[in-house]
Amino acid sequence: MVNNADNNDGGGGSIVLAATPIGNMADASPRLMELLQTADVIAAEDTRRLHKLVKALGITLNARIISYHEHNEASRTEDLLETVRAGKTLLMVTDAGMPAVSDPGFRLVEAAAEAGLLVTAIPGPSAVLMALALSGLPTDRFCFEGFLPRKAGERSSRLKELGPERRTMVFFEAPHRLEAMLRALDNEFGGDRRAAVARELTKLHEQVLRGSLRELLNWAEEGDVRGEIAVVVAGAGEAEPERPEDHVAAVNELVAKGARLKEAVSTVAEDARISKRELYAAVLAAR
């Protein structure tokens, strides 16, 4: 069944996901400031960060504030939905950027959508989009991969899965793990793959470094990297097309083991997903 949130069958309340500044408080939108002052309830990833934001903006909160983070999402989601069913406006904020994007909020939106409750958002700062736009890499097709696994084996497995990815990839990483991450990217994707490291976006010491993965790894090895980090990596290039000539040896090997020429050609062509006719011609031409 298609769920139409515009119907808002659950009552007159709503959930508003609000993007908050990722560094520069001047990026707070007028809509964010208005909702902070008028919302009935504010669900915050970190209530201390919320009060710091409000103080910097010079506004006063009148809402009931509820702590809502990855460790209590499961237990508090239903209570928040009841608030919306009662006709209240629930504002959801995280420490920085848009809730539900590598931050708490997805579980709440999923449950609200299932319940037919109205969910909307206040757009605003996004480290993902800003890093992508500043990277100098293709932006027409991209994917967001968040944080890679911390354990080396799991991280390597994830990167092997991403090896054929043609879209530009955006990652987050902690500064103290950046060197290990770039080394893993270098190992799996090759040191020549283009990439960018964006740190402290919108802040006083904003920095975007562009180059090959090997160059960025050398930079990370030289200094004490600090700040919030986003890493943007170019997608894989076009794979070289399979040529019949490259598979002549495989055909000859099967023939040497007793297979008939046509059978050997058929087997190798099917495995390599190339034309049997072209492979057969290549074998004859090589003789």
Side-chain angles (χ1 to χ4, degrees):
M1 181 180 69
V2 175
N3 184 299
N4 183 1
D6 288 341
N7 292 335
N8 197 17
D9 296 330
S14 64
I15 296 171
V16 183
L17 306 179
T20 54
I22 60 176
N24 191 325
M25 294 300 175
D27 291 333
S29 71
R31 288 183 65 197
L32 170 63
M33 296 176 66
E34 178 184 355
L35 261 295
L36 284 169
Q37 297 174 90
T38 60
D40 298 301
V41 179
I42 299 177
E45 180 181 8
D46 186 331
T47 57
R48 294 169 299 180
R49 294 283 290 269
L50 171 61
H51 285 296
K52 182 179 179 181
L53 170 64
V54 168
K55 183 178 180 180
L57 297 178
I59 60 178
T60 302
L61 297 181
N62 298 304
R64 179 164 62 96
I65 300 172
I66 297 176
S67 175
Y68 187 74
H69 47 72
E70 62 176 331
H71 301 298
N72 66 13
E73 278 184 295
S75 62
R76 293 192 173 177
T77 294
E78 185 56 36
D79 290 340
L80 294 179
L81 295 185
E82 285 300 322
T83 297
V84 180
R85 290 190 183 99
K88 305 294 185 180
T89 297
L90 169 65
L91 184 66
M92 171 78 214
V93 296
T94 54
D95 292 348
M98 178 62 74
V101 181
S102 198
D103 270 335
F106 165 73
R107 189 188 296 270
L108 179 63
V109 175
E110 180 184 42
E114 182 67 24
L117 299 175
L118 179 63
V119 182
T120 186
I122 299 175
S126 167
V128 176
L129 295 180
M130 186 171 179
L132 177 68
L134 295 178
S135 69
L137 298 173
T139 59
D140 54 335
R141 298 178 66 237
F142 71 94
C143 59
F144 174 56
E145 289 294 325
F147 288 90
L148 288 171
R150 297 185 183 186
K151 295 183 178 179
E154 295 176 1
R155 183 171 57 225
S156 178
S157 296
R158 176 73 62 79
L159 291 177
K160 279 183 170 61
E161 294 176 359
L162 292 173
E165 177 59 65
R166 300 284 300 281
R167 296 171 294 180
T168 299
M169 295 165 278
V170 184
F171 303 88
F172 286 162
E173 191 51 278
H176 63 280
R177 293 197 299 268
L178 179 63
E179 181 181 334
M181 177 204 188
L182 291 173
R183 182 171 289 107
L185 289 169
D186 181 304
N187 290 337
E188 298 296 340
F189 294 166
D192 292 335
R193 183 79 70 92
R194 290 192 301 153
V197 172
R199 56 178 296 274
E200 295 293 85
L201 292 174
T202 78
K203 299 178 183 178
L204 179 63
H205 299 293
E206 176 179 303
Q207 183 180 31
V208 180
L209 297 102
R210 307 173 185 87
S212 67
L213 283 171
R214 183 65 49 78
E215 290 170 335
L216 293 172
L217 173 59
N218 292 338
W219 165 79
E221 289 174 335
E222 292 174 357
D224 180 20
V225 181
R226 299 182 181 183
E228 301 289 334
I229 303 289
V231 178
V232 187
V233 182
E238 290 278 359
E240 289 293 328
E242 294 282 355
R243 301 185 308 160
E245 295 83 355
D246 297 333
H247 300 278
V248 169
V251 173
N252 290 334
E253 185 177 346
L254 290 178
V255 171
K257 292 180 179 179
R260 295 181 178 179
L261 177 59
K262 288 188 176 180
E263 293 175 349
V265 167
S266 179
T267 299
V268 173
E270 184 175 349
D271 290 342
R273 298 182 179 181
I274 58 177
S275 166
K276 295 179 184 179
R277 180 180 58 80
E278 293 179 0
L279 178 57
Y280 188 80
V283 173
L284 294 181
R287 291 186 170 185

